Amino acid sequence: MSNHDGSILDEAGRWRSRDLAVLWHPCTQMREHPDVMPLLPVARGNGAWLVGHDGSRTLDAVSSWWVNLHGHAEPRIAAAIARQATTLEQVILAGCSHPPAVELAERLLAIAPRQAGRARLSRVFYADNGSAGIEVALKMAFHWFRNRGDEPRRTKFVALQNGYHGETIGALSVGDIPLYRRIYAPLLMEAVFAPSPDAFLAREGQSAEACAEDAADALAHLLDEHAGEICALVLEPLVQCAGGMRMHHPAYLRRVRELCDVHGIFLIADEIAVGFGRTGTMFACEQAGIQPDLLCLSKGLTGGFLPLAAVLATDAIYEGFLDDSRERAFLHSHSYTGNPLACAAALASLDIFAADDVLARNRRTAERMATLAAPLAALPHVADVRQTGMILAIELCEGGRRATPFEPSRRIGLHAYRHALERGVLLRPLGDVLYWMPPYCIDDAQLELLAAVTGSAIEAATA
Ligand SMILES: *Cc1c(COP(=O)(O)O)cnc(C)c1O
């Protein structure tokens, strides 16, 4: 096969051209492929590396959209899926049961966040991707109040400004990122958005904790204003990931927990991106010592091998659906609910957490990330370097001043992306925020490569 200029294409070039003839890629302006936005053909994965058709390696610094935990093609997870595939690949989960779904539910409930004096999360409802998990939690919260019968006005959800919960219509309704949301606004249900506790928005000299307290005060106000109209509050604990890896003080989560209790509404913790060790603890809620009423998990749940989501609920919520009437039951379902292959992958991933003492290793890796990123803070256009566990973000602003973001048309992030990709690192900036969210198996040499390429990408993009 030959290129438009007549040159002979190599293996990667052939895949690129076949791809662009038939695929419509997610989150992509297809017109920018391949000239503005390069397309990286991947033949294999190995640990933190993506391997090209010619054997060239690219470091996956974003864990393939935050799903990969223990590395690509991790042999223990691959073997678990293969075993399960020759045992039971799928069965309808309405009316049937299978061991991986049961065992995974038991193990998730055993490690779920706990708070003294609260009834534990005690039920698992499966879905097959993060957005679907959010839909489940929203519908459960709403339906619970309907079943109770005395709350006909409770139709609204509170969410945070700059939050993200997925792309389906319900999940998008509680998200606040204009780029994804604005065009669909006429289709979305009404939500109430509370100010983000984002420490990047702190006033000059204000601590992250004081900023969090201010946001909690504003939330208290909003909840009073909408008393009796709200079923639940949904948030991403500790890090608003898609919103630019913006981080907040755990004091905010403690206040939110109290406020939800005072108002008798459910707290939905969306740990789809931050769960499974990403923030330093198994779950982000642990760092605030709080337990949500509904916990949404996906992304890293299967170690990044297969799509699966789990929504963990309390007995109080579960019991609200027990009745003689079918309409009071939670009739939500997805064809692949609790898929055995995905559950087997998730069980293998949990085994690796124990076998490799992953959380302890991550603490050392996170320290190394901090050390390697420290010099980047001194670069002229770096406004902030922030970190929560295995997430490290570098925000670029004109002159390094928070008040002067770069003109979006300069596409600083895209320049950094192209620069890094040419040097063997897959960074995928969110606007002008570069971040490291690597597979947990990343080693020292790979981290050094990542830091060096990030530094040169920042210099090149902001020059
Ligand atoms: C990715 C993400 C989702 C949506 O998950 P999908 O599997 O992409 O639908 C929801 N919430 C958060 C916080 C996410 O990062």
Side-chain angles (χ1 to χ4, degrees), residues 60-71 237-239 241 245 247 271-284 287 299-300 303-304 353 358-359 362-363 365-366 369 387-392 435-442:
D60 186 358
V62 298
S63 295
S64 284
W65 255 343
W66 324 338
V67 302
N68 190 282
L69 298 189
H70 313 293
L238 295 188
V239 187
C241 293
M245 301 297 166
M247 301 172 185
E271 293 221 21
I272 289 167
V274 296
F276 298 102
R278 213 22 107 173
T279 65
T281 43
M282 196 61 169
F283 298 105
Q287 293 182 44
K299 290 206 164 106
F353 272 97
V358 168
L359 293 182
N362 280 1
R363 278 193 284 280
T365 307
M369 284 162 63
Q387 183 179 14
T388 302
M390 293 292 288
I391 307 174
L392 188 143
Y435 66 90
W436 301 347
M437 199 156 162
Y440 299 162
C441 63
I442 192 166

Side-chain angles (χ1 to χ4, degrees), residues 106 109-111 113-114 118-123 291 313-315:
E106 289 169 350
L109 293 171
I111 60 170
R114 283 188 207 180
R118 297 192 88 82
R120 299 168 42 179
L121 293 164
S122 55
R123 288 281 162 180
Q291 183 190 307
T314 57
D315 260 346

Side-chain angles (χ1 to χ4, degrees), residues 7 10 31 33 36 82 85 90 124 151 180 197 257 307 313 349 362 369 378 413 418 461:
S7 62
D10 59 8
R31 210 170 189 187
H33 270 326
V36 177
Q90 165 68 2
V124 176
E151 305 276 357
Y180 308 133
R257 180 64 276 185
S349 173
N362 280 1
M369 284 162 63
R418 296 178 58 135

Side-chain angles (χ1 to χ4, degrees), residues 1 31 35 54 121 127 161 164-165 173 177 181 191 195 226 237 274 282 306 349 352 364 387 447 461:
M1 198 187 281
R31 210 170 189 187
D35 296 334
D54 61 355
L121 293 164
Q161 287 171 5
Y164 178 85
H165 301 286
S173 298
I177 299 181
R181 176 190 170 92
H226 294 275
V274 296
M282 196 61 169
L306 287 164
S349 173
I352 291 173
R364 295 191 294 275
Q387 183 179 14
L447 281 171

Side-chain angles (χ1 to χ4, degrees), residues 168-394:
T168 54
I169 298 295
L172 203 55
S173 298
V174 289
D176 181 47
I177 299 181
L179 181 62
Y180 308 133
R181 176 190 170 92
R182 203 187 297 126
I183 189 75
Y184 303 106
L187 304 181
L188 304 181
M189 63 185 175
E190 202 186 330
V192 177
F193 289 98
S196 171
D198 178 2
F200 188 77
L201 304 177
R203 292 189 309 272
E204 187 78 44
Q206 191 186 33
S207 71
E209 185 166 8
C211 174
E213 294 291 347
D214 277 2
D217 291 342
L219 173 66
H221 222 81
L222 261 183
L223 291 176
D224 283 339
E225 225 172 281
H226 294 275
E229 301 168 18
I230 310 287
C231 357
L233 180 150
V234 56
L235 54 67
E236 299 159 87
L238 295 188
V239 187
Q240 294 189 303
C241 293
M245 301 297 166
R246 294 293 186 83
M247 301 172 185
H248 58 257
H249 194 279
Y252 182 73
L253 301 173
R254 290 191 281 274
R255 288 281 306 279
V256 169
R257 180 64 276 185
E258 288 164 16
L259 288 167
C260 287
D261 287 341
V262 166
H263 286 268
I265 63 176
F266 295 122
L267 172 56
I268 303 172
D270 176 354
E271 293 221 21
I272 289 167
V274 296
F276 298 102
R278 213 22 107 173
T279 65
T281 43
M282 196 61 169
F283 298 105
C285 284
E286 292 169 38
Q287 293 182 44
I290 63 146
Q291 183 190 307
D293 303 295
L294 291 159
L295 175 66
C296 298
L297 304 173
S298 188
K299 290 206 164 106
L301 172 57
T302 62
F305 272 66
L306 287 164
L308 179 69
V311 180
L312 277 56
T314 57
D315 260 346
I317 293 177
Y318 175 72
E319 280 163 10
F321 291 82
L322 299 179
D323 195 88
D324 293 332
S325 142
R326 286 204 81 199
E327 238 175 68
R328 284 175 174 246
F330 192 61
L331 297 182
H332 188 102
S333 66
H334 296 285
S335 312
Y336 282 94
T337 297
N339 173 253
L341 302 177
C343 292
L347 287 165
S349 173
L350 291 178
D351 287 342
I352 291 173
F353 272 97
D356 296 1
D357 203 356
V358 168
L359 293 182
R361 194 184 59 205
N362 280 1
R363 278 193 284 280
R364 295 191 294 275
T365 307
E367 271 172 35
R368 191 77 192 118
M369 284 162 63
T371 305
L372 287 166
L376 303 177
L379 293 175
H381 298 284
V382 171
D384 193 28
V385 177
R386 50 183 178 263
Q387 183 179 14
T388 302
M390 293 292 288
I391 307 174
L392 188 143
I394 301 154

